C-alpha cells in the first residue's frame, strides 16, 4: 500500500472501497475458487466472510438479499480496481473497445518509450507485482526454509494467453489488449497471442543423482511483458530482486532463448550478480564458436588452440535428438571427454565484476597436457629424475608421460615461428577475461563443460524445475493458460492479476511442501549462521498491517 497510495492520492471521483479490500478479495477468490475474476471476488467479499472480517476490510453493512445493494457493491469493487489500474497505467486508454491500429500502437508505445513519467509508472507497477510475488518468499526466508538452498536458479518464459482477438488487418483494428503480442515456444511454428511471463524458480542441482538441498521450489520472480520482448533484461530484474533479499547466488540455468541474447542484456549482468551460467546451444552454434587471444571457444569453454580437431568438432552439426541420446553414444562421449585436458584452467576469480584469469593447460605446477610449443617458449627447470611407483595410480597419472600431448605441425617443428607470431595464449601463460571481452561470442561462454557430467548435474534438474513450475502454474488450480480466469482488460490489470496468481501458487507450494516434509515450524539457525534475511524483511515486518483481532 505504500506504493499504491501515493498514486491514488488526489484522483477525482468517489473513493469506492479500500484498494487492499479488493486485492484481498481477489486473493481469496484465487485461493478458494481458482479464479481472478472481479465477479468472484465480489461474491467472496459479500457472502463468504464473517462480519468481523468484513469490518476489518472496511466493508459497510450490505443487505445481501437486496439485488440493488449487491449491484451497487459490485460497482464499487469494479470502480476501485479501475482506479488502481488507471493510476498504474502509463497512459489511460479506452479498454472497452477495439481502437484503430494507429491509436492502439500509440498506446502500446507508452510501454516502450523513455518518457520519465511513463518509466516511473511502469516501475511502480513492477514493484507492486514484485511485492506480491515475493511475499511468500520472504515468509519462507523468515522461517528458515530456504537456509540450505545454494542459490541455484532457473529462468524461463511461458505464454500467458489473452482473452481478446489479435489485431485485424482486414478491419484495421488493434486488439483490446494493445500491448499483447505473439509468444513462440521452442520448436513451435504457431504462436500464442498474449503476453510472455518470465519466471525464476528456486531450483536444485544434483550430485551423483541426489539432490544437494531440500527446500520449497518457489517462484522467485515474475515479469509480464509483450511476447518475445526484453527476454534478458526481465530475467536480470528477477535476479536483482533476489540480491536485495540477501539470498545466495549459485548456478543459473537457462534455455536457448537466453543464449541468443546479447551479452550486455543478460550474461554480463548475471555474472556481475555472482551467478555461474549453464546454457544450451542451437545446432548451428555447437562445436567451435570462435577464438579469443588465439584460444578456441568450444561449446562455451576456452581451450588450447592445439586441441585435437576430432575433439574440438565432436558436437559440430549435431541436432537436439543426438544431444539427448549422448548417453548411448560412447564414441561421442569419448571425443567430448578428450577436450577436458585442453581446456584453459581457472587461475583466479571471478571477482565482483565477473572478471577471471585463465591459464594455459600446459602451464602451472599441475599441467593437464604437455606441449612442445609451451616447452620451447617457457623452458622448465629440469628437476632431478624421480622414481615412479607404477602401482600408484595417482603418481602414474600425474607423470608427464601420462598426459595428452599437443600436436604441432612438422613445419613448426623444423622452423619454429617467432614468439610474436604465435597466439597470445601461447606467448604468455595466463590471460584475463573481462565481461564482454569476447564480443558477440561472450553470450556462448559458460562455467561448466558443455555435456559433461557436471553440466548435466546442474542443467537438467534446474530445467526440469522450471518446467515443473510452468506446469503447476498452468495446472487445474492456478491456471495461467486460461484467460477466462483473468478477464480484466489492460496490461496493468493483467500484471496485477498474474502477480496475485503467482503469489497464490507460492502459497500452495509452501503448503504442500510443509505437509510433504513435515516441516511447519521455523528452522532454528545455527550459532555460526548469518541472518537468513536482509533488513528489508525486518522493515516490512515492522510496518506491515497486523492480523485482525476478535
Amino acid at each position: 500500500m505504500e506504493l499504491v497510495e501515493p498514486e491514488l492520492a488526489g484522483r477525482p471521483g468517489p473513493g469506492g472501497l479500500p484498494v487492499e479490500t479488493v486485492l484481498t478479495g481477489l486473493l481469496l477468490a484465487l485461493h478458494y475458487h481458482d479464479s481472478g475474476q472481479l465477479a468472484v471476488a465480489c461474491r467472496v467479499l459479500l457472502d463468504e466472510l464473517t462480519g468481523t472480517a468484513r469490518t476489518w476490510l472496511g466493508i459497510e453493512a450490505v443487505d445481501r438479499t437486496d439485488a440493488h445493494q449487491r449491484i451497487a457493491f459490485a460497482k464499487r469493487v469494479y470502480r476501485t480496481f479501475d482506479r488502481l489500474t488507471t493510476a498504474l497505467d502509463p497512459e489511460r486508454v479506452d479498454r472497452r473497445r477495439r481502437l484503430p491500429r494507429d491509436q492502439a500502437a500509440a498506446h502500446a508505445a507508452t510501454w516502450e518509450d523513455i518518457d520519465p513519467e511513463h518509466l516511473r509508472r511502469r516501475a511502480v507497477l513492477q514493484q507492486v507485482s514484485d511485492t506480491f510475488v515475493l511475499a511468500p518468499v520472504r515468509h519462507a526466508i523468515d522461517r528458515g526454509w530456504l537456509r540450505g538452498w545454494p542459490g541455484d536458479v532457473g529462468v524461463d518464459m511461458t505464454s500467458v494467453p489473452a482473452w481478446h482477438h489479435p489485431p485485424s488487418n482486414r478491419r484495421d483494428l488493434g486488439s483490446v489488449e494493445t500491448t499483447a503480442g505473439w509468444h513462440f515456444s521452442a520448436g513451435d511454428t504457431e504462436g500464442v497471442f498474449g503476453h510472455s511471463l518470465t519466471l525464476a524458480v528456486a531450483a536444485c542441482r544434483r550430485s551423483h543423482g541426489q539432490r544437494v538441498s531440500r527446500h520449497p521450489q518457489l517462484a522467485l520472480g515474475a515479469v509480464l511483458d509483450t511476447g518475445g520482448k526484453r527476454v534478458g533484461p526481465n530475467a536480470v530484474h528477477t535476479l536483482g530482486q533476489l540480491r536485495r533479499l540477501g539470498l545466495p547466488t549459485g548456478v543459473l540455468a537457462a534455455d536457448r532463448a537466453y543464449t541468443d541474447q546479447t551479452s550486455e542484456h543478460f550474461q554480463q549482468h548475471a555474472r556481475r550478480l555472482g551467478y555461474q551460467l549453464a546454457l544450451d546451444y542451437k545446432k548451428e552454434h555447437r562445436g567451435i564458436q570462435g577464438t579469443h587471444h588465439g584460444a578456441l571457444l568450444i561449446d562455451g569453454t576456452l581451450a588450447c588452440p592445439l586441441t585435437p580437431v576430432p575433439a574440438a568438432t565432436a558436437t559440430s552439426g549435431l541436432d537436439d535428438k543426438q544431444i539427448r541420446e549422448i548417453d548411448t553414444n560412447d564414441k561421442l562421449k569419448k571425443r567430448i571427454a578428450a577436450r577436458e585436458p585442453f581446456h584453459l584452467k581457472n587461475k583466479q576469480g571471478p571477482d565482483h565484476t565477473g572478471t577471471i584469469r585463465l591459464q594455459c593447460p600446459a602451464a602451472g605446477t599441475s599441467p593437464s597436457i604437455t606441449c612442445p610449443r609451451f616447452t620451447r617458449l617457457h623452458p622448465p627447470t629440469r628437476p632431478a629424475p624421480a622414481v615412479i611407483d607404477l602401482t600408484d595410480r595417482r603418481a602414474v597419472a600425474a607423470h608427464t608421460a601420462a598426459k595428452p600431448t599437443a600436436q604441432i605441425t612438422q613445419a613448426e617443428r623444423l622452423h619454429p615461428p617467432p614468439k610474436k607470431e604465435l597466439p597470445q595464449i601461447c606467448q604468455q601463460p595466463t590471460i584475463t577475461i573481462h565481461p564482454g571481452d569476447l564480443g558477440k561470442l561472450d553470450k556462448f561462454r559458460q562455467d561448466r563443460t558443455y555435456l559433461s557430467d557436471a553440466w548435466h548435474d546442474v542443467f537438467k534438474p534446474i530445467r526440469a524445475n522450471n518446467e515443473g513450475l510452468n506446469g503447476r502454474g498452468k495446472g487445474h488450480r492456478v491456471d495461467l493458460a486460461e484467460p477466462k480466469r483473468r478477464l480484466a482488460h489492460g496490461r496493468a490489470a493483467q500484471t496485477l492479476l498474474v502477480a496475485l496468481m503467482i503469489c497464490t501458487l507460492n502459497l500452495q507450494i509452501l503448503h504442500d511442501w510443509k505437509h510433504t516434509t513435515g516441516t511447519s515450524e521455523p528452522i532454528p539457525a545455527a550459532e555460526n549462521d548469518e541472518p537468513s534475511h536482509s533488513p528489508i524483511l525486518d522493515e516490512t515486518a515492522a510496518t506491515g498491517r497486523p492480523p485482525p483481532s476478535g
Side-chain angles (χ1 to χ4, degrees):
M1 295 309 300
E2 290 79 2
L3 296 169
V4 171
E5 287 172 349
E7 303 299 319
L8 298 174
R11 297 193 67 84
L17 293 170
V19 170
E20 60 183 318
T21 299
V22 175
L23 295 177
T24 301
L26 287 169
L27 269 175
L28 293 173
L30 284 165
H31 181 72
Y32 289 107
H33 302 286
D34 308 323
S35 175
Q37 295 185 28
L38 287 170
V40 179
C42 290
R43 291 198 295 271
V44 170
L45 294 174
L46 270 181
D47 303 328
E48 300 180 16
L49 296 180
T50 64
T52 302
R54 283 197 293 271
T55 301
W56 176 56
L57 291 173
I59 301 176
E60 298 177 358
V62 176
D63 184 357
R64 290 178 286 174
T65 63
D66 188 330
H68 296 288
Q69 292 193 36
R70 293 183 68 92
I71 292 173
F73 178 82
K75 287 184 176 180
R76 290 197 293 272
V77 171
Y78 278 78
R79 187 185 306 121
T80 300
F81 190 75
D82 184 69
R83 290 181 70 245
L84 174 62
T85 56
T86 299
L88 297 178
D89 199 316
E91 184 180 80
R92 183 69 165 87
V93 69
D94 189 350
R95 296 188 289 261
R96 297 168 297 179
R97 64 185 180 90
R98 301 180 71 175
L99 301 173
R101 294 197 69 170
D102 57 343
Q103 295 183 26
H107 175 257
T110 63
W111 291 87
E112 308 283 343
D113 61 22
I114 56 174
D115 179 270
E117 179 61 18
H118 295 167
L119 287 172
R120 189 191 66 80
R121 289 199 182 190
R122 298 201 300 261
V124 173
L125 175 62
Q126 187 57 50
Q127 283 181 283
V128 174
S129 173
D130 292 338
T131 303
F132 281 124
V133 172
L134 293 176
V137 179
R138 295 173 185 269
H139 177 69
I141 295 172
D142 278 340
R143 308 287 282 188
W145 297 335
L146 290 176
R147 188 168 292 125
W149 175 57
D152 297 338
V153 177
V155 291
D156 194 15
M157 284 196 309
T158 188
S159 62
V160 179
W163 169 251
H164 312 284
H165 294 294
S168 172
N169 293 325
R170 181 177 62 85
R171 300 174 61 190
D172 196 32
L173 292 175
S175 174
V176 173
E177 218 37 87
T178 56
T179 63
W182 294 97
H183 176 98
F184 290 89
S185 298
D188 289 349
T189 56
E190 295 186 4
V192 175
F193 183 73
H195 294 94
S196 291
L197 178 65
T198 299
L199 279 175
V201 61
C204 180
R205 74 185 83 172
R206 292 183 179 273
S207 178
H208 304 292
Q210 300 296 321
R211 292 178 56 180
V212 301
S213 62
R214 300 286 175 180
H215 58 85
Q217 293 176 357
L218 298 167
L220 299 176
V223 181
L224 192 73
D225 206 339
T226 304
K229 290 194 174 182
R230 286 168 289 277
V231 177
N234 288 339
V236 172
H237 173 82
T238 64
L239 301 177
Q241 296 301 306
L242 303 183
R243 186 171 189 175
R244 294 184 62 226
L245 293 178
L247 291 170
T249 55
V251 178
L252 173 62
D255 63 11
R256 290 173 292 189
Y258 294 89
T259 309
D260 269 351
Q261 296 296 296
T262 59
S263 63
E264 296 88 349
H265 290 167
F266 176 62
Q267 287 87 343
Q268 291 184 31
H269 293 285
R271 293 185 188 281
R272 288 192 182 102
L273 289 171
Y275 287 95
Q276 301 175 23
L277 297 181
L279 307 171
D280 195 11
Y281 305 111
K282 294 181 179 179
K283 176 181 178 180
E284 60 268 24
H285 294 152
R286 294 186 177 121
I288 300 176
Q289 297 159 329
T291 61
H292 180 69
H293 289 330
L296 299 177
L297 185 66
I298 304 174
D299 285 335
T301 301
L302 287 168
C304 170
L306 297 177
T307 302
V309 174
T313 59
T315 57
S316 298
L318 296 185
D319 57 27
D320 294 343
K321 181 180 179 181
Q322 292 171 301
I323 294 296
R324 288 193 297 268
E325 296 174 351
I326 186 174
D327 289 337
T328 61
N329 192 333
D330 292 336
K331 183 178 180 181
L332 177 59
K333 289 175 66 176
K334 289 179 180 179
R335 286 186 174 182
I336 294 176
R339 298 172 173 176
E340 188 71 29
F342 292 87
H343 288 158
L344 303 192
K345 297 181 293 183
N346 193 2
K347 182 176 176 63
Q348 187 179 1
D351 61 11
H352 66 282
T353 66
T355 300
I356 60 174
R357 286 185 63 79
L358 299 177
Q359 186 177 52
C360 168
T365 57
S366 300
S368 56
I369 65 171
T370 58
C371 177
R373 180 184 293 175
F374 180 86
T375 303
R376 176 175 68 85
L377 297 176
H378 310 281
T381 56
R382 295 187 177 277
V387 178
I388 300 297
D389 182 1
L390 297 180
T391 63
D392 187 345
R393 294 184 179 180
R394 184 173 181 179
V396 171
H399 195 272
T400 305
K403 301 181 185 300
T405 301
Q407 302 297 321
I408 60 176
T409 63
Q410 185 68 12
E412 183 174 347
R413 288 182 183 276
L414 298 176
H415 305 285
K419 182 177 180 179
K420 63 180 181 180
E421 295 182 7
L422 295 173
Q424 185 174 342
I425 187 60
C426 299
Q427 297 179 32
Q428 58 187 45
T430 61
I431 58 174
T432 301
I433 306 294
H434 300 89
D437 275 357
L438 275 67
K440 294 181 179 180
L441 299 177
D442 197 53
K443 66 181 183 180
F444 296 127
R445 188 162 62 92
Q446 59 178 313
D447 297 277
R448 281 167 172 74
T449 303
Y450 183 57
L451 299 180
S452 67
D453 291 340
W455 183 87
H456 281 295
D457 282 345
V458 296
F459 188 82
K460 281 190 173 181
I462 293 178
R463 289 292 302 144
N465 295 155
N466 262 125
E467 296 301 329
L469 182 67
N470 291 344
R472 185 158 185 164
K474 296 183 177 181
H476 64 285
R477 295 198 62 186
V478 178
D479 192 354
L480 292 165
E482 179 50 74
K484 293 180 181 179
R485 300 191 181 186
R486 38 177 179 80
L487 291 176
H489 305 322
R491 170 85 161 269
Q494 289 296 306
T495 299
L496 292 175
L497 293 178
V498 168
L500 291 170
M501 285 181 155
I502 300 300
C503 178
T504 303
L505 176 64
N506 273 342
L507 292 173
Q508 293 173 2
I509 291 173
L510 284 178
H511 176 272
D512 294 347
W513 182 79
K514 287 188 294 183
H515 284 272
T516 301
T517 62
T519 304
S520 57
E521 297 300 322
I523 299 176
E527 294 182 1
N528 58 348
D529 276 357
E530 295 292 331
S532 62
H533 56 267
S534 67
I536 298 174
L537 302 183
D538 298 326
E539 181 183 347
T540 303
T543 59
R545 184 170 184 171
S549 57

